[in-house]
C-alpha cells in the first residue's frame, strides 16, 4: 500500500454501528506547529455514538464521509516545522482539539503538541487508550467541584468511560464514594474503589442521603439528581439529555439562579498540563486503565454496538496497528 493514504474509520450516512467501515483517506502531513502521530489505539466515547447516529447533526454537519475517534495513543512519527516539546518516537496520548473534530480512528493523526502528553513508562499503549478521557474526570472533580477529603461524592454512570476514572480519583482524593451503576457492574465499581456501589435501577435517590459533590455522566433526570446535593454542595454534569437538548441545557443554565446548587457543565479540552497531571495520577497509583474489551480496527462497528448496548466496564478500546 502506498504511503500517501492510510486506513480510517468512516461513515457515509447517519445510522447504526453498521454504517461504519474502514476505508482509505489521504495520509496527513504535519502542518507547521503540528506533529504526526502514528495511532496505536483509540477508545469509543459515548458522545461519538450520538454523532454517528445523526442526533447531533447540528454540530457535526451533514457532509460525508465523516470520521470518528476523539482520543488516541501512539508514537510521534514526524514533527512539523517549529513543533516543540516532543520528539520522534515518543509515546504519547491525546485528544483531538475542538476545531479538528473527530478522526483519531485512523492510522495517523496530526495534532498540535500542546494537545498531548507523554504516556508513563511501562504503560502499554493499548491499555493506555482507556485513559485520555480520564482528564474529564480530573477537571470535573478537582477543578470544577474542588472535591475535598472526607466529602461524600456521588458518581452517576460510575462504570462508564468517564465514571470509572471518577470513582478511582474520588477514592484517591479521600472522598467517600457512592457509585451508581447497573447491578451487573456493582462488583466492578467496588474494585475501582467505590465505598458504596448502588444499583441505579432499584435504589431510589431518597435512600442515599445527600452529597457534597455529584458528578453526573448520564445527563438525564438532572432535576432529581440535583435534589441529592447538600446545601452548599457542588454538582457537575458532563452530559445533557439528547432527547430534549434545549430543555436540558436550559435547565443547566437556569440552575445558576434557581434552586439548590448550580449545575456546572463544561466541555473538556485537555492540554499538556492536564495530560501531565494524568500521567502523575497513573504513576502515583491513583488511576489505572479499565479496559473492558480490545477490538481490532476492522471491528470498530462491534465496539460501537457494544457501547450502545449498555453495561460497559470502563472503556472499549480499538487497536489500530
Ligand atoms: N463534557 C465533556 O467534556 C465530556 C467528555 C466526555 C464525555 N462526555 C459525555 O459524557 C457522557 C458519558 O460519556 P462516557 O464516554 O463516559 O460514556 P459511557 O462510557 O457510555 O458511560 C456512560 C455511563 O452512564 C451510565 N448510565 C446511562 N444512563 C444512566 C442512568 N439513567 N443512570 C445511571 N447511569 C446511567 C451507563 O451505564 P449502563 O450502560 O450500565 O446503563 C454508562 O456506565 C456522554 O454523553 C459523553 O458525550 C462529555
Amino acid at each position: 500500500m502506498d504511503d500517501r493514504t492510510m486506513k480510517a474509520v468512516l461513515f457515509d450516512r447517519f445510522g447504526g454501528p453498521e454504517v461504519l467501515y474502514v476505508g482509505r483517506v489521504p495520509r496527513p502531513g504535519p502542518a507547521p506547529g503540528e506533529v504526526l502521530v502514528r495511532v496505536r489505539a483509540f477508545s469509543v466515547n459515548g458522545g461519538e455514538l450520538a454523532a454517528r447516529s445523526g442526533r447531533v447533526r447540528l454540530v457535526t454537519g451533514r457532509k460525508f464521509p465523516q470520521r470518528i475517534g476523539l482520543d488516541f495513543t501512539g508514537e510521534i512519527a514526524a514533527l512539523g516545522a517549529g513543533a516543540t516539546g516532543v520528539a520522534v518516537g515518543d509515546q504519547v496520548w491525546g485528544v483531538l482539539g475542538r476545531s479538528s473534530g473527530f478522526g483519531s480512528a485512523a492510522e495517523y493523526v496530526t495534532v498540535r503538541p500542546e494537545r498531548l502528553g507523554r504516556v508513563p513508562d511501562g504503560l502499554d499503549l493499548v491499555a493506555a487508550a482507556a485513559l485520555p478521557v480520564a482528564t474529564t474526570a480530573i477537571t470535573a472533580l478537582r477543578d470544577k467541584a474542588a472535591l475535598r477529603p472526607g466529602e461524600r461524592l456521588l458518581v452517576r454512570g460510575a462504570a462508564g468511560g468517564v465514571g470509572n476514572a471518577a470513582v478511582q480519583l474520588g477514592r484517591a482524593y479521600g472522598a467517600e464514594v457512592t457509585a451508581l451503576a447497573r447491578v451487573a457492574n456493582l462488583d466492578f465499581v467496588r474494585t475501582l474503589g467505590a465505598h458504596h456501589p448502588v444499583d441505579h435501577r432499584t435504589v431510589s435517590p431518597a435512600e442515599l442521603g445527600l452529597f457534597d459533590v455529584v458528578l453526573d455522566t448520564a445527563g438525564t433526570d438532572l432535576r432529581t439528581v440535583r435534589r441529592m446535593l447538600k446545601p452548599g454542595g457542588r454538582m457537575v454534569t458532563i452530559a445533557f439529555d439528547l432527547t430534549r437538548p434545549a430543555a436540558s441545557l436550559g435547565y443547566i443554565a437556569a440552575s445558576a439562579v434557581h434552586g439548590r446548587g448550580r449545575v456546572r457543565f463544561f466541555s473538556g479540552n485537555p492540554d499538556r498540563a492536564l495530560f501531565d497531571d494524568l500521567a502523575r495520577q497513573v504513576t502515583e497509583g491513583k488511576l489505572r486503565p479499565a479496559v473492558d474489551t480490545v477490538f481490532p480496527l476492522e471491528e470498530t462497528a462491534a465496539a460501537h454496538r457494544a457501547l450502545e448496548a449498555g453495561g460497559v466496564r470502563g472503556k472499549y478500546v480499538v487497536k489500530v496497528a
Side-chain angles (χ1 to χ4, degrees):
M1 212 44 88
D2 71 84
D3 63 5
R4 286 168 303 173
T5 65
M6 65 171 183
K7 288 184 192 171
V9 181
L10 307 164
F11 60 102
D12 295 333
R13 60 187 165 88
F14 295 125
E18 69 282 356
V19 301
L20 298 176
Y21 67 94
V22 177
R24 295 202 78 86
V25 298
R27 179 171 148 179
E34 288 184 340
V35 298
L36 179 71
V37 177
R38 181 164 193 246
V39 177
R40 194 63 83 79
F42 62 91
S43 80
V44 184
N45 294 289
E48 291 176 76
L49 307 180
R52 189 214 63 226
S53 69
R55 274 182 290 160
V56 288
R57 64 186 74 187
L58 279 178
V59 180
T60 59
R62 295 156 185 264
K63 268 177 74 178
F64 295 102
Q66 292 197 11
R67 304 265 300 267
I68 62 161
L70 195 57
D71 52 47
F72 58 87
T73 61
E75 281 129 16
I76 301 287
L79 304 180
T84 56
V86 286
V88 170
D90 280 358
Q91 300 205 324
V92 294
W93 49 21
V95 174
L96 295 180
R98 281 183 186 143
S99 54
S100 22
F102 295 114
S104 67
E107 290 180 299
Y108 292 89
V109 288
T110 52
V111 60
R112 296 191 67 83
E114 306 88 77
R115 314 271 339 154
L116 42 77
R118 281 201 187 80
V119 172
D121 289 342
L123 185 58
D124 170 67
L125 283 181
V126 176
L131 284 174
V133 73
T135 53
T136 306
I138 297 175
T139 303
L141 296 183
R142 189 191 62 188
D143 305 336
K144 303 292 177 188
L147 180 68
R148 293 186 290 266
E151 288 192 317
R152 293 196 78 211
L153 166 68
L154 179 72
V155 180
R156 186 163 180 246
V162 176
N164 88 82
V167 171
Q168 297 185 61
L169 291 170
R171 175 83 187 219
Y173 295 166
E176 183 187 330
V177 182
T178 298
L180 291 177
R182 63 171 63 193
V183 70
N185 282 346
L186 296 183
D187 281 346
F188 171 65
V189 296
R190 188 177 285 112
T191 66
L192 297 172
H195 297 88
H196 311 293
V198 173
D199 176 6
H200 71 87
R201 293 181 185 194
T202 56
V203 177
S204 97
E207 294 173 54
L208 298 176
L210 299 178
F211 294 86
D212 300 287
V213 172
V214 172
L215 173 58
D216 185 280
T217 74
T220 53
D221 305 318
L222 293 180
R223 196 181 299 272
T224 309
V225 180
R226 189 174 172 215
R227 287 198 203 103
M228 300 169 83
L229 274 184
K230 286 182 184 174
R234 289 91 70 204
M235 175 163 166
V236 180
T237 184
I238 57 163
F240 56 90
D241 190 343
L242 286 172
T243 62
R244 40 196 289 280
S248 184
L249 286 168
Y251 179 76
I252 292 169
S255 74
V257 283
H258 294 295
R260 176 186 293 184
R262 175 179 168 196
V263 180
R264 287 174 180 273
F265 174 81
F266 71 98
S267 177
N269 201 21
D271 59 7
R272 173 71 63 85
L274 192 47
F275 282 113
D276 289 347
D277 285 340
L278 176 66
R280 241 187 321 274
Q281 315 279 351
V282 173
T283 50
E284 289 173 3
K286 293 178 176 153
L287 189 60
R288 59 186 163 78
V291 177
D292 184 310
T293 309
V294 178
F295 293 83
L297 187 67
E298 285 68 24
E299 289 176 26
T300 303
H304 269 228
R305 202 167 288 120
L307 190 64
E308 217 150 66
V312 67
R313 294 169 172 238
K315 293 295 285 182
Y316 293 117
V317 168
V318 179
K319 188 175 167 182
V320 176

